[in-house]
Amino acid sequence: VPNFIHSENAMIVTGKIGEVRKEVGKARAAGRTVGFVPTMGALHEGHLSLMRRCREDGCWSAASIYVNPAQFGPREDLDKYPRPFEKDRSLCEKEGVDLLFAPASADMYPEGHSTWVTVEGITEGLCGAFRPGHFRGVATVVAKLLLIVLPDAAYFGRKDYQQLKVIERMAADLNLPVRIVGCPTVRDGDGIALSSRNAYLSPKERERARVIPGLWREISSRWGRGVRTAGDLLAGLAGELAKHADTVEYFAAYHPETLREAGKDEALAFNPVVALAVRIGATRLIDNFQPGVDGL
Ligand code: PAF
């Protein structure tokens, strides 16, 4: 049974850069503000919340689905990354997306492509330390996508907090005329952040992953009681995390803009972002929580 779509115009689906430019041009000529949600597909409520926010902001909305090989390391999950295109396409349609851009790699990285965007500093710690080249791949593809779509605003989840900061930095440094909008992490009923990679977790592994929202609850409660050093905010929690995860890549409190790690005894004059990356079984999970800012 075909989905019945309640929209004035059918969603345009294209892989062609020229067609994206043409359609965006038409929307602009009609006086619309253009919003853009770049994704790698395997869409979940987190992505859909970005699409909704884009529409709530009154935008003519474009979304993209492109699993960007340049941001995967040689031993990472590029080949097994989920690609349920038909399902994704119908979810975009239901959210009222006006244009879905799904390019082929031959168009994004044609032969001879040799320009890369490297953001220094904030890409070096956290995930950057464990995924060499990852943020170069992200910054490059996002710069390209933004230059293809030329939106007024682009929407990204705060779940990938370092990615959001890298993209903000890149857009500012390259004078891209786009507003980068960071949106709240969407969590499942058990508090685990939605992620396309969650699908890899077995039920037992998922049970172990529940340690993460437990940490956020504890940190939120300590912050609420006035705890203001990273040492006290995180005391005992790294051990708790290590009990449930197979590997803890990082778990620390960071300055929300520079991503500098807060000193253990430093008096926190800012709301730190507590961020982590762990491996549970074959799955790598990242999450973060900013006490005093994020809800649970
Ligand atoms: O967050 C993602 O899904 C990707 O890193 C992005 C921003 C779409 C770039 O490929």
Side-chain angles (χ1 to χ4, degrees), residues 38-40 68 71 138 141-142 156 160 163:
T39 81
M40 297 205 303
N68 170 36
Q71 69 188 76
V138 169
V141 83
V142 173
F156 297 88
D160 297 321
Q163 167 173 284

Coordinates of all heavy atoms in Angstrom, one line a residue, residues 38-40 68 71 138 141-142 156 160 163, ligand 1:
P38 N 21.8 17.5 6.9 CA 22.7 16.4 6.3 C 22.7 15.2 7.2 O 22.8 15.3 8.4 CB 24.1 17.0 6.3 CG 24.0 18.3 7.1 CD 22.6 18.5 7.6
T39 N 22.6 14.0 6.6 CA 22.6 12.7 7.4 C 23.3 11.7 6.6 O 23.6 11.8 5.4 CB 21.2 12.2 7.6 OG1 20.7 11.5 6.4 CG2 20.2 13.3 8.0
M40 N 23.6 10.6 7.3 CA 24.1 9.4 6.6 C 23.0 8.3 6.5 O 23.3 7.1 6.3 CB 25.3 8.8 7.3 CG 26.5 9.8 7.3 SD 28.1 9.1 7.5 CE 28.0 8.2 9.0
N68 N 29.4 8.8 3.9 CA 30.6 9.5 3.4 C 31.9 8.6 3.7 O 32.4 8.6 4.8 CB 30.7 10.8 4.1 CG 32.1 11.5 3.9 OD1 32.6 11.4 2.8 ND2 32.5 12.2 4.9
Q71 N 35.0 9.7 6.0 CA 35.0 9.9 7.5 C 35.1 8.5 8.2 O 35.1 8.5 9.4 CB 33.8 10.7 7.9 CG 32.5 10.0 7.8 CD 31.4 11.0 8.1 OE1 31.0 11.9 7.4 NE2 30.8 10.9 9.3
V138 N 34.7 14.5 7.8 CA 33.4 15.2 8.2 C 33.4 16.6 7.7 O 32.5 17.1 7.0 CB 33.1 15.1 9.7 CG1 32.0 16.0 10.1 CG2 32.9 13.7 10.2
V141 N 33.2 16.8 3.8 CA 31.9 16.5 3.2 C 30.9 17.6 3.6 O 30.0 17.9 2.8 CB 31.4 15.1 3.5 CG1 30.7 15.0 4.8 CG2 30.5 14.6 2.4
V142 N 30.9 18.0 4.8 CA 29.9 19.0 5.2 C 30.1 20.3 4.5 O 29.2 21.0 4.1 CB 29.9 19.2 6.8 CG1 29.0 20.3 7.2 CG2 29.4 17.9 7.5
F156 N 22.2 20.1 13.2 CA 23.0 19.0 13.6 C 22.7 18.6 15.0 O 22.3 19.5 15.8 CB 24.5 19.3 13.5 CG 25.0 19.6 12.1 CD1 24.9 20.9 11.6 CD2 25.5 18.7 11.3 CE1 25.3 21.2 10.4 CE2 26.0 18.9 10.0 CZ 25.9 20.2 9.6
D160 N 26.5 14.2 18.7 CA 27.9 14.2 18.2 C 28.4 15.6 18.5 O 28.6 16.5 17.6 CB 27.9 14.0 16.7 CG 27.3 12.6 16.3 OD1 27.6 11.6 17.1 OD2 26.6 12.4 15.4
Q163 N 31.6 16.9 16.8 CA 31.3 17.1 15.4 C 30.7 18.5 15.2 O 31.0 19.3 14.3 CB 30.5 16.0 14.8 CG 29.8 16.3 13.5 CD 29.1 15.2 12.8 OE1 29.7 14.3 12.3 NE2 27.8 15.2 12.9
Ligands
PAF1 O1 26.5 13.0 11.7 C1 26.5 12.5 10.5 O2 25.5 11.8 10.2 C2 27.6 12.8 9.6 O3 28.8 12.9 10.2 C3 27.4 14.0 8.6 C4 27.3 15.3 9.4 C5 26.1 13.8 7.9 C6 28.5 14.1 7.7 O4 28.7 13.0 6.9

